[in-house]
């Protein structure tokens, strides 16, 4: 069964510093990986995805993520954090194939950017 | 273009009462999903649908029923609400069944069962 782990419940970073939110996954076969962000009292918004190709994926709001197959990781990164980046971040995985319908989410990581 | 719309946004139920949550999408998506979000648990899939007239169980289906009579609507029903069903419920939809497109989420329904 597919699964996702986000090892940190909370990440604190100073404004202007680089940020990393960690994600590891487990699937049989090559994964499709996603990052979503949730602002308070809002639904989830798509940030970026890895399907195939370049291991470094660029997404919305200056975020990027690096796919590492050997470490089964898909960490979310941003070179310079903004206070407005403070939110709850979810990593998600799907197995490829026509029969795969389920998107499995991690438990989420709360990012706090300190002014 | 409204995307995914959930109604209601808030609801308080007494134990044993029933209710239906409505999800509507205007993107002509085939796939629709109901998730619940609980603190420290992330999002867990309740039920999903791969097209009009079809439904299937997800990770935590007990106590819930769903229907997809029209392509654009996906209803989640609680026949006899329990305090354990206090949660935030999210509906989502997606287009591509080959699992490589993102899902679009509604704003959520905050349900409290007392």
């Amino acid at each position: 069964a597919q699964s996702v782990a986000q090892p940190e419940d909370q990440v604190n970073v100073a404004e202007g510093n680089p940020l990393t939110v960690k994600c590891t996954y487990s699937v049989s076969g090559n994964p499709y990986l996603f990052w979503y962000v949730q602002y308070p009292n809002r639904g989830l918004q798509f940030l970026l995805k890895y399907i195939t190709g370049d291991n470094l994926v660029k997404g919305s709001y200056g975020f990027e993520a690096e796919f590492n197959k050997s470490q089964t990781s898909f960490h979310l990164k941003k070179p310079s954090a903004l206070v407005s980046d403070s939110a709850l971040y979810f990593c998600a995985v799907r197995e490829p194939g026509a029969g795969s319908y389920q998107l499995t989410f991690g438990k989420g990581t709360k990012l706090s950017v300190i002014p | 273009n409204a995307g995914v719309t959930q109604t209601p946004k808030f609801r308080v139920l007494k134990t044993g009462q029933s209710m239906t949550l409505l999800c509507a999408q205007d993107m002509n998506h085939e796939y629709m999903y109901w998730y619940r979000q609980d603190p420290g648990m992330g999002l867990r899939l309740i039920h999903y649908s791969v097209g009009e007239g079809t439904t299937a169980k997800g990770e935590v289906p007990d106590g819930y029923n769903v229907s997809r009579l029209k392509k654009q609507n996906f209803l989640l029903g609680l026949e006899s609400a329990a305090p354990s069903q206090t949660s935030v419920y999210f509906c989502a939809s997606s287009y591509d069944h080959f699992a490589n497109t993102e899902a679009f989420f509604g704003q959520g329904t905050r349900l409290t069962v007392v």
Side-chain angles (χ1 to χ4, degrees), chain B residues 12-30:
Chain B
V12 178
L13 284 180
K14 293 183 179 179
T15 298
Q17 285 185 320
S18 64
M19 78 163 293
T20 300
L21 282 67
L22 171 63
C23 176
Q25 54 94 2
D26 61 2
M27 296 172 283
N28 201 34
H29 285 170
E30 290 290 341

Side-chain angles (χ1 to χ4, degrees), chain A residues 11-83:
Chain A
V11 171
N12 298 321
V13 63
E15 185 176 23
N17 282 2
L19 68 87
T20 299
V21 182
K22 296 180 180 177
C23 171
T24 59
Y25 66 89
S26 174
V27 296
S28 55
N30 295 318
Y32 293 164
L33 294 157
F34 303 81
W35 275 102
Y36 286 83
V37 60
Q38 184 182 30
Y39 297 101
N41 300 313
R42 303 292 298 274
L44 277 70
Q45 297 177 28
F46 169 77
L47 274 181
L48 52 80
K49 64 185 177 185
Y50 171 82
I51 303 301
T52 187
D54 194 346
N55 289 342
L56 185 64
V57 178
K58 294 187 183 298
S60 306
Y61 313 120
F63 284 93
E64 58 189 27
E66 185 169 11
F67 171 63
N68 187 318
K69 188 173 183 178
S70 64
Q71 298 186 1
T72 62
S73 67
F74 189 57
H75 301 331
L76 181 70
K77 300 180 180 182
K78 187 173 183 181
S80 179
L82 301 173
V83 173

Side-chain angles (χ1 to χ4, degrees), chain A residues 32 34 36 38 41-44 46 49 51 88 90 94-98 100-103 105-108, chain B residues 31 33 35 37 40-43 45 48 50 58-59 90 94 97-103 105-107 110:
Chain A
Y32 293 164
F34 303 81
Y36 286 83
Q38 184 182 30
N41 300 313
R42 303 292 298 274
L44 277 70
F46 169 77
K49 64 185 177 185
I51 303 301
L88 189 58
F90 290 97
R94 288 177 105 158
E95 291 190 14
S100 173
Y101 308 125
Q102 186 162 331
L103 188 62
F105 287 85
K107 295 183 178 181
Chain B
Y31 290 68
Y33 316 83
Y35 287 89
Q37 183 182 27
M41 303 288 288
L43 276 78
L45 183 65
Y48 64 94
V50 302
E59 181 184 357
F90 287 100
S94 66
H97 66 288
F98 288 110
N100 64 351
T101 59
E102 62 267 29
F105 284 80
Q107 300 266 37
R110 186 173 295 275

